[in-house]
Amino acid sequence: MGNNTDEKLYRQIVESSTEAIIIQQDGKFKYINPAGVDFLRATSSEEVIGKSVFDIVPEEYRELTVRHAKSILDENKPTGIIEKQLRRFDGSLVDVETNCTPVLYNDKKAIQSVARDITKHKEIERTLEKVSKEINTLSAPVVPILEGVAVLPLVGSINSERANYILEHVPLKVQEQNAHTLISDFSGISELDAMVIQCLFETSAVLGLLGVRSIVTGVRPEIAQSVVQLGADLSLIQIFGTLQQAVRDLMLKDSIVSV
């Protein structure tokens, strides 16, 4: 934009915009609209103009900001929507999504950024993530039942997220309890797909590498059929019809060893 009618029209449009609009050039703020001043919690546009862009960019986002700025100016293309955090002039952090596009300002290349506050959206996202983790924790408990023996009661349906949680966390829980045997009880499982079955058998393989014996109980005929069709390696896993049968077998062997 040059000092002409187009620039005046541009200013009229953005001055009345409710979205934060900023123009940066050579790494410094050249323009900010009133909504942007409020958004960054500055006292006035004078407090912003001339300052370094990095005054509002937290350290962890600086490399990303430099890379995007270079891409916009070199390729003359917008970045699309990017989520990150900015540091306001009062020191507070805010979650934002920005849309940056190349413009001409005073006949020189510059970057126009439109910033939107997505704090509430990110809070909801983080809450849902926390709830999901708590649900996974509750839905994959490792319960000690005998000395060195624990049970993983699986209930409901298992999706890929829950299966990955089991793969990542169950071996750690088993180690924490110093268990030498884990019984995975499938009697409460209503549905499994091939990917989830693979993940669960990978968990058994990891346990095997840790010296933990894997026992599977309560496998329904339809799930057993899926396991066979998948071609999963059952050599590392002992299978019993019910949890009670597995426990009885373990207790019997313990009593024989004791004798």
Side-chain angles (χ1 to χ4, degrees), residues 165-179:
Y165 177 88
I166 291 172
L167 176 60
E168 183 178 352
H169 291 87
V170 165
L172 296 176
K173 291 181 179 179
V174 171
Q175 278 193 312
E176 288 173 1
Q177 296 183 19
N178 293 320

Side-chain angles (χ1 to χ4, degrees), residues 58-78:
E59 183 67 35
E60 60 266 34
Y61 294 100
R62 293 192 176 186
E63 184 179 340
L64 178 68
T65 301
V66 170
R67 190 163 63 247
H68 285 156
K70 187 176 187 304
S71 175
I72 293 168
L73 296 175
D74 290 350
E75 300 176 20
N76 201 39
K77 292 192 305 185

Side-chain angles (χ1 to χ4, degrees), residues 56-149:
I56 66 167
V57 179
E59 183 67 35
E60 60 266 34
Y61 294 100
R62 293 192 176 186
E63 184 179 340
L64 178 68
T65 301
V66 170
R67 190 163 63 247
H68 285 156
K70 187 176 187 304
S71 175
I72 293 168
L73 296 175
D74 290 350
E75 300 176 20
N76 201 39
K77 292 192 305 185
T79 60
I81 294 176
I82 297 171
E83 292 186 3
K84 59 184 179 182
Q85 285 189 321
L86 294 179
R87 189 178 302 280
R88 291 165 161 158
F89 278 77
D90 66 356
S92 63
L93 291 174
V94 58
D95 291 303
V96 301
E97 62 176 24
T98 60
N99 190 1
C100 302
T101 55
V103 296
L104 286 177
Y105 189 78
N106 291 334
D107 297 323
K108 287 181 60 178
K109 285 185 177 181
I111 299 171
Q112 173 186 285
S113 302
V114 178
R116 300 178 184 88
D117 187 344
I118 58 169
T119 301
K120 289 184 179 179
H121 170 75
K122 297 303 288 185
E123 285 176 352
I124 292 172
E125 219 175 62
R126 284 189 282 266
T127 299
L128 289 175
E129 184 179 350
K130 180 181 178 183
V131 170
S132 179
K133 286 181 179 178
E134 289 175 351
I135 290 174
N136 283 331
T137 301
L138 293 172
S139 61
V142 176
V143 184
I145 57 169
L146 298 171
E147 185 177 353
V149 180

